[in-house]
Amino acid sequence: FFFVEPVSFLSLRTFALSPPPFPTIKKSFNSYVKDFLKAIGPEGLPKLLSGFDDDGAYAQCVFAFARSPPSSSSSSARVFVGRTQGSIARAPRGPRTFGWDCVFVPGGKENNNPGRLTYAEMSPEAKNAISHRRRALDKLRAFLMQEYSSKE
């Protein structure tokens, strides 16, 4: 018997704001991010960072997997982290339909983004190929394939 905890933890971390300008205690981190983004809007994050020299950031997704229910004494959770390096755009670009996609610009050698597009400006296929979710799920999938594909 195994238990898959379909929990993902998403974050956008800027290097200039460390720690983030909101608390992370006793409440879902994702709800703070949503409240924060709702309060400042898509223009708010670039404005907030405008006084800093470092616009570097990364998008991160964390998935958890446990072989048995967490209350079990034999539970052993595994964590799979996917991260995409990038930066924050000076202003929102592209559709404003999904969180901070319109201000996050994937960058770095591991990301094929020569046009410096935001996640929102990319096609779904291009975004999914380099996304932090994809990277975390690829690690989870590799683990599951290794653990369960050869077992008889």
Side-chain angles (χ1 to χ4, degrees):
F1 175 79
F2 67 91
F3 177 76
V4 175
E5 180 61 39
V7 171
S8 69
F9 173 85
L10 300 171
S11 64
L12 176 66
R13 187 66 184 262
T14 64
F15 299 126
L17 298 176
S18 184
F22 41 85
T24 58
I25 55 171
K26 302 286 183 185
K27 187 175 179 184
S28 163
F29 182 82
N30 285 336
S31 65
Y32 280 118
V33 170
K34 288 177 185 175
D35 292 344
F36 179 71
L37 289 174
K38 184 177 178 182
I40 67 171
E43 295 82 9
L45 189 55
K47 283 182 184 177
L48 188 63
L49 295 174
S50 66
F52 296 94
D53 293 332
D54 191 349
D55 65 355
Y58 61 81
Q60 180 170 282
C61 179
V62 179
F63 283 96
F65 169 84
R67 294 182 193 277
S68 57
S71 60
S72 167
S73 62
S74 65
S75 178
S76 61
R78 292 287 307 255
V79 175
F80 303 91
V81 179
R83 184 179 286 184
T84 300
Q85 297 293 333
S87 61
I88 302 300
R90 298 282 179 212
R93 301 192 318 252
R96 299 173 189 196
T97 55
F98 193 75
W100 37 261
D101 278 7
C102 62
V103 295
F104 183 69
V105 180
K109 293 178 183 175
E110 75 280 1
N111 302 312
N112 184 16
N113 188 13
R116 305 276 303 145
L117 301 175
T118 64
Y119 266 172
E121 294 172 302
M122 295 179 159
S123 69
E125 296 79 17
K127 177 187 171 188
N128 289 338
I130 63 169
S131 81
H132 48 296
R133 274 188 203 87
R134 167 75 180 269
R135 291 176 174 162
L137 285 171
D138 283 350
K139 291 177 182 178
L140 173 59
R141 182 180 64 217
F143 168 77
L144 293 173
M145 294 293 289
Q146 180 181 1
E147 289 292 308
Y148 299 103
S149 67
S150 62
K151 307 245 176 180
E152 296 186 23

